[in-house]
Amino acid sequence: MKMNSTKLSAFCGRVIEVGWLVAVIVTPLFFNGYSSRPFELGKLTILRTVALVMAAVWTVKLIEERASGNGDLGFTWRTPLALPTLFTVAVYLVSTALSVTPWVSLVGSYERLQGTFTTFSYVVVFLMILQGLRTRAQLDRLLAVIIVNSLPIALYGLIQHNGLDPLPWIGDPTKRVAANMGNPIFLSAYLVMIFPLTLGRVVEGFRAALSGISQGHGIGVPNLLGGRRGKPQQVGDSGALPMLTPKGPRATLTREQVGRASILRAGGYTFIAAVQLMALWYAQSRGPLLAFVVGSYFFFLLLALAWRSKWGAISVITIITLIALVVGFIVLVNIPGGPFQSLQSASWLGRMGEVFSFARILYWQGMVDLILPHEPLQYPDGHSDPFNPIRPLVGYGPESIKVAYNRFHPPLHWRYEPGLVDRAHNETFDVLATTGLLGLAAYLFLFLSIFYYGLKWLGLLETKRQRMQLLGLVLVSSLAAIVFSWWQVGLHFFGVALSIGIVAGLAVYLTTTALVFAIRMLTSSESKEKSTLPPLHDHHFLILSLLAALVTHFVEINFGIAIAATRTTFWAWAGLLGVVGLNLVRVQPATRAVKRRRRSRRPKGDAPSPPPAQRTLPGWLWPTLGNAVVGGFILGTLA
């Protein structure tokens, strides 16, 4: 919100913030045990209603600010991540218009409700955060709400594991917990997205405690005293720090008090991280566990790079060695007839001893037949699909796999998982089947933009040479993975190979950069090497946590299914990454006491500037908002 915003504009901004907070709370937490579809339908009905209300309120806010002469969208197509998002929207519109089931593609299927309407609701959450999150208080609230919201979900998983769940779920939840998500894969997919941010809070909390200086709200590097980028302001001889509150300086905190508060905060987040890890392990889902390994590597390696000292260099070498051993061990265990094949059934290894199940492979074989050119599908009334020649380009439409896949469903798959297939357990194949090559381009454009800007804002893509190196590594590793898997296994491993190749290219670039840093740091004077490194971003630790979480999500969705909770969290993380990366979070505005002191120091001849115009809230606002809420809920329920 702008300093000279009207009362109506400020009120709309608060309503929008409540909207995105409700979205990130409800989609993971809500379920309705009295419904025949207790999970996705209820979550997404609420989400779509909230998105409609946010869009309506944002429109009112924009009109009001334009009328007062200071309104803007808050973003343009040049804003990082905005263009790939708009391209995704355009692709969904085209694929929906040409879908084999247009109405289902628009509003979503009965099982998932993940149609174009829902996708646009996610985009609304992203855009609202991108244009509206501007203060440290908002940043702190969003992070705290998402992380703390995961605690009851993870605790529910522990309750299930110990046989204390009072609800009569189908199956045995003590073996593989699902909490309130309905499936162990969904629980794990959500937790691995939240864990890097929780770990970032833990690191920053202990960092603040050890330094004895408050680092401000969130996971930012500078404190609220106005320290420069990467250089927190020091305190005086008294060792006291002013405690800034939303209404201004109220008290002072000593170093010891700041340290104790930071330790308590870090301890609380450590408890949440521990509960998340236990629930993640008890869920025993292979894809999320693999994603957890990859995301942890990115997180700790980026963290070591931020530690600008020889200890950071030693940490880099240690982390790279450990991940090489872990990945090598997992690969050797999963090789048929390999040296560690006997460990595949070991209880301590869990389901990581068999990463690729035969049922998933059958899924992917049928998906290849669906995506490649073939004879047109036949509708129930006998006419053929008129858009069959362009299906590889535009796909069959969102939420259309259940209709289009039947003809290509491998009969053998019914032995393992009877029932109709509506997802491929691989995001790449899902995108190709529903939105075609255009959708694949939008999907890669979005994720690669996230990875690019994340590394750029962390100071790891400073030159054109570095950018070309990253692009080359991603292209070469992706092509190599696709060709190797096609040659050794078959084209049905294309989806997994593409995602592994992209992540491998990112990992090789990051590993090479880290090794160069470590070698230089260990072979030269520390001060000289520090002078050649770019300064830390104002939100360095938050950006590296977000990047690790988004890489984790990218890996996980190519072994599982994206759901309401993970998609909402992904778009919230993407919006937050754009805000903090562009340094749009401003310091708290001056308080009344500060303004009075400034006026007292103003020369007597100077006339005070006129206050900004304020408007009272119009009488039509409340009934309009009420109608928007009721109408949005009705539309979401009917859809």
Side-chain angles (χ1 to χ4, degrees), residues 1 4-16 56-65 67-68 613-622 624-625:
M1 294 176 290
N4 56 344
S5 59
T6 65
K7 287 185 178 180
L8 175 58
S9 175
F11 174 78
C12 290
R14 289 191 290 271
V15 172
I16 291 171
V57 172
W58 177 75
T59 303
V60 172
K61 178 175 180 287
L62 185 62
I63 294 173
E64 172 70 7
E65 291 184 344
S68 61
Q614 298 289 332
R615 300 183 185 179
T616 58
L617 298 179
W620 53 263
L621 176 63
W622 297 109
T624 301
L625 285 177

Side-chain angles (χ1 to χ4, degrees), residues 357-405:
S357 67
F358 188 57
R360 299 285 174 84
I361 294 174
L362 291 174
Y363 270 135
W364 299 338
Q365 288 175 348
M367 294 303 297
V368 171
D369 295 335
L370 171 65
I371 293 166
L372 293 179
H374 53 73
E375 293 296 321
L377 299 179
Q378 299 293 322
Y379 284 85
D381 61 2
H383 80 278
S384 300
D385 178 16
F387 302 108
N388 183 66
I390 60 172
R391 288 301 176 195
L393 181 64
V394 301
Y396 291 88
E399 291 283 70
S400 64
I401 293 178
K402 190 172 183 178
V403 175
Y405 186 77

